[in-house]
Amino acid sequence: MPSPTDPRSNEGRNHRRRRASTATWVLVGGLLAVPMVVPLLVPIYARETPELGGMPFFFWFQFALIPVAAIFTTLAFRVVVSVEGSPGEIEEQHQ
């Protein structure tokens, strides 16, 4: 039997994980909505100027949205992890 100080021991651990509040989920939803909604707003980038490296605006703007979407998705993930714990911690608690 593992001792309470053994990292494999589940004794002394709080098995209840924190649940994110409604405000947290609204924040996460907003962070995820930005990269999904902005590409759908075609009128904001349906033009050719300004050009960047010979590429029209509507082209390079969409390419610029890729890292922006990655940043917003990462921020949303970090908000959830900061509140509920990392996926590895959650998995450990359910074993």
Side-chain angles (χ1 to χ4, degrees):
M1 172 158 199
S3 72
T5 56
D6 187 343
R8 295 170 294 173
S9 170
N10 288 329
E11 293 179 26
R13 288 189 186 175
N14 182 0
H15 289 287
R16 292 177 165 251
R17 72 182 171 157
R18 294 178 293 166
R19 298 296 302 163
S21 68
T22 302
T24 302
W25 288 116
V26 168
L27 173 63
V28 168
L31 288 169
L32 293 175
V34 170
M36 292 187 327
V37 172
V38 172
L40 298 174
L41 303 173
V42 176
I44 67 171
Y45 61 92
R47 54 195 161 110
E48 293 186 15
T49 57
E51 290 186 359
L52 181 67
M55 287 190 339
F57 179 73
F58 63 86
F59 229 41
W60 67 259
F61 179 78
Q62 292 179 54
F63 280 120
L65 286 179
I66 296 169
V68 170
I71 290 167
F72 275 83
T73 304
T74 301
L75 289 172
F77 176 76
R78 288 184 182 219
V79 167
V80 172
V81 167
S82 71
V83 172
E84 293 198 354
S86 70
E89 292 171 355
I90 294 168
E91 184 67 30
E92 279 181 13
Q93 291 175 0
H94 291 289
Q95 290 181 354

